[in-house]
Amino acid sequence: MKIDLTDTTASKINKALVQGRRAIGTPAVGMVLTLVIVTDEENAYDALKAASDASHEHPSRTLVVIRRVSRTPRDRTQSRLDAEVRVGADAGTGETVVLRLYGEVVNHAQSVVLPLLLPDAPVVVWWPVNAPLDPAKDPLGALAQRRVTDSYSAEKPVEELRARAGSYQPGDTDLAWARITPWRSMLAAALDQVTCEVISVAVTGEEHNPSVELLAMWLADRLHVHVRRGVSAGPGLTEVRMETTCGPITLNRPDGAMATLSLDGQPDRAVALKRRETADLIAEELRRLDPDDTYASALRFGVDRLGGMAPVTPPTAPALAAEPARGSEPARVSAPALPPASSSRSVDASSAPGASSKSSTSTSGSPGSSGSSDDGEGDRPSPAQMPPVKKAAP
């Protein structure tokens, strides 16, 4: 059921929601959270479809905030709020309100959204595109317990990650982080099967893919080894190669669907690592609304502390040789230091049995500023040119 309201108010929208529930015979409200989507007209359909699919797992009230562009000075002085209320089959398993803001009210979206929030329920704000530089200080972000961005949609994803590290507040997260959950789970499970020490790591994927950067930062942050960032044609992440004292461990996914896990002395195994849709990613982020300390620690490690290497020719990448840091022995850590990641939140490495004291999850300092503003991998130092990886003081 759809109810269109023109030049309306928040009070009239609430009355329309009650009217719609009664009309379809479901007056009871059984929603668990309020999801606020801040987007533009171009991306509203895709974001709303993803949220509708995710609502089957998380029944919620979805508020879509669309700021319409005023083309003349006169239009900018005239405020107007139009709304489209959807209940029943048109709104998944919850309720949907599409809010279109015109004129001066565009700058006061929080005043429109606040009366429409579900009482005593968590609030999640999601920016599919054009996320603010500091989500926690955004007027809409300040209303939420959880703030979801997507650095993949940014023009310069690596610069976006640097900005996210500088403005991080508990409750911030990114869909680029959710995209690597299956990879983190598989790599943690692979290291659980061996008792070797990891010497070095190479992560290969698309050049401007923030998920590749985040996976490399997570591995470097947890294992305390130098991680080299390689470039391939994709799609997305294509390979992770870990050199250990027992031989290499390789997870290779050339086609974006099926991957091959190779451990020295064991037969190769085919594992499913299909690239997931946005609905699956947002549903994962809604499962737990507490701060993600693992994401924060990996993000603050910094992309500038990753080593670079030349692009590789698919489908095979050159083997990565262990390169010690100048004047020091190569940093090594036992395999159990990598925490399991079977869900979107990893267990703290310090709580894992047998984990070394070097693998604690204390938050590292903000990323280094020595990197070039160019996103090219060739400007990054090799591991031999970098100091040993150590945690900065929190």
Side-chain angles (χ1 to χ4, degrees):
M1 180 178 179
K2 294 183 181 181
I3 303 174
D4 290 324
L5 301 173
T6 303
D7 198 5
T8 187
T9 63
S11 176
K12 293 178 180 179
I13 294 172
N14 270 319
K15 291 179 180 178
L17 286 168
V18 175
Q19 176 187 345
R21 288 197 299 267
R22 289 176 177 173
I24 63 175
T26 57
V29 179
M31 290 160 285
V32 298
L33 58 89
T34 302
L35 175 62
V36 182
I37 304 174
V38 187
T39 184
D40 53 22
E41 200 72 62
E42 179 183 359
N43 296 279
Y45 174 81
D46 292 336
L48 190 53
K49 184 178 184 303
S52 179
D53 293 341
S55 71
H56 294 285
E57 183 176 341
H58 309 279
S60 59
R61 174 176 289 181
T62 303
L63 307 177
V64 184
V65 179
I66 302 175
R67 295 182 170 99
R68 298 299 298 267
V69 177
S70 300
R71 302 187 181 279
T72 65
R74 181 180 179 182
D75 290 340
R76 286 191 286 270
T77 61
Q78 297 177 350
S79 297
R80 195 178 90 219
L81 171 63
D82 294 345
E84 180 182 325
V85 178
R86 304 180 186 181
V87 293
D90 293 315
T93 59
E95 301 171 341
T96 299
V97 181
V98 181
L99 304 168
R100 290 182 171 86
L101 283 58
Y102 301 81
E104 184 64 24
V105 74
V106 167
N107 300 321
H108 304 281
Q110 72 278 9
S111 301
V112 178
V113 169
L114 187 59
L116 301 176
L117 302 178
L118 289 173
D120 301 322
V123 179
V124 179
V125 178
W126 171 32
W127 292 270
V129 294
N130 301 325
L133 293 178
D134 193 341
K137 292 184 179 179
D138 182 82
L140 284 172
L143 302 175
Q145 287 77 38
R146 194 76 165 166
R147 296 165 294 274
V148 184
T149 57
D150 191 356
S151 54
Y152 188 80
S153 65
E155 184 177 355
K156 296 182 177 180
V158 175
E159 293 295 331
E160 191 80 0
L161 289 179
R162 292 190 181 103
R164 293 282 168 263
S167 64
Y168 175 83
Q169 293 293 329
D172 291 354
T173 189
D174 198 290
L175 292 187
W177 176 253
R179 289 186 179 96
I180 62 174
T181 299
W183 283 81
R184 293 190 294 126
S185 300
M186 194 59 59
L187 293 172
L191 286 180
D192 281 343
Q193 302 177 42
V194 298
T195 56
C196 310
E197 292 183 347
V198 179
I199 301 172
S200 60
V201 181
V203 178
T204 306
E206 291 174 333
E207 182 175 2
H208 299 292
N209 191 314
S211 295
V212 184
E213 308 282 350
L214 281 171
L215 183 62
M217 289 189 289
W218 175 70
L219 288 167
D221 180 54
R222 287 309 185 110
L223 295 178
H224 289 213
V225 296
H226 287 301
V227 177
R228 304 183 76 186
R229 167 71 162 91
V231 179
S232 69
L237 271 161
T238 54
E239 185 181 64
V240 174
R241 182 183 178 89
M242 296 185 288
E243 296 291 342
T244 74
T245 55
C246 301
I249 298 176
T250 305
L251 184 59
N252 183 36
R253 186 189 67 176
D255 59 359
M258 294 297 297
T260 302
L261 177 63
S262 303
L263 284 81
D264 193 58
Q266 300 185 25
D268 292 350
R269 306 170 214 178
V271 294
L273 276 180
K274 183 180 179 181
R275 304 187 76 190
R276 297 182 294 170
E277 300 293 334
T278 305
D280 299 323
L281 302 175
I282 196 66
E284 176 183 320
E285 289 299 337
L286 295 178
R287 286 181 196 134
R288 292 186 61 179
L289 302 180
D290 54 323
D292 191 344
D293 296 333
T294 306
Y295 165 70
S297 183
L299 185 66
R300 286 171 171 164
F301 181 87
V303 293
D304 298 320
R305 297 174 66 187
L306 300 177
M309 67 182 189
V312 298
T313 303
T316 57
L320 176 66
E323 299 182 58
R326 290 178 179 174
S328 64
E329 293 297 322
R332 297 184 181 183
V333 68
S334 57
L338 190 60
S342 56
S343 67
S344 62
R345 311 290 173 261
S346 295
V347 179
D348 192 306
S350 61
S351 63
S356 66
S357 59
K358 292 175 64 179
S359 304
S360 61
T361 330
S362 60
T363 304
S364 63
S366 53
S369 58
S370 60
S372 169
S373 59
D374 186 9
D375 292 345
E377 303 300 330
D379 294 337
R380 290 181 180 168
S382 68
Q385 299 170 322
M386 300 174 66
V389 177
K390 295 181 179 179
K391 286 277 192 174

